[in-house]
Amino acid sequence: KAGVTQTPRYLIKTRGQQVTLSCSPISGHRSVSWYQQTPGQGLQFLFEYFSETQRNKGNFPGRFSGRQFSNSRSEMNVSTLELGDSALYLCASSLGDQGSEQYFGPGTRLTVT
Amino acid sequence: AQSVTQPDIHITVSEGASLELRCNYSYGATPYLFWYVQSPGQGLQLLLKYFSGDTLVQGIKGFEAEFKRSQSSFNLRKPSVHWSDAAEYFCAVGVPQGAQKLVFGQGTRLTINP
């Protein structure tokens, strides 16, 4: 069974631009969660989508948004990029049941200049 | 709100030595507990998880962890480390009320001396 895939793997953007990252979950998984990883703040939860609905949200500004499609693939979008948005963005997929294991993709490394 | 503390930012052990990585959590009830490992440039790989039942859980790559409710701890152990175990290790807590949100500790970077 293929793992979680994320595209692109690396991205360089300029302040003020917007970016869209993509995540394809493991086949059969209906939940996709997104995390931001930075050296200063560590791993922080952004949001979770389950069956095309946002089910949980972390403490990030509205510039961070996401969506999920009927095939469970998910995208996250960051608008008006700031230097502080430079990070590794990880997505994780799971069956979505209570306490089910989350399987992480390799991440997208975003650099904002 | 739940939180996770990994007191050791960096640990160095010799190959073949035993290992214990500490994790303390804060939550009003028994949460779901996880240990993940991250190699440089990689995503996170699940080592093991605790949901309920036996407080000593076995994971992949020879790792085990013990849940101690009285100490709010979930320490990771391995009897004999290999050079390939060098990585960053993250403890995480999940809330049982349905959400998939994980709260992670700051991580412990493990270096192995040959």
Side-chain angles (χ1 to χ4, degrees), chain A residues 42-43, chain B residues 3-6 23 89-93 103-108:
Chain A
L43 280 152
Chain B
S3 65
V4 178
T5 301
Q6 293 179 247
C23 172
Y89 292 79
F90 292 93
C91 180
V93 61
V103 175
F104 286 88
Q106 286 296 315
T108 297

Side-chain angles (χ1 to χ4, degrees), chain A residues 48-63:
Chain A
E48 181 219 355
Y49 285 85
F50 180 80
S51 293
E52 302 180 65
T53 301
Q54 188 181 85
R55 191 162 67 168
N56 203 355
K57 190 177 187 307
N59 297 322
F60 279 81
R63 299 185 298 106

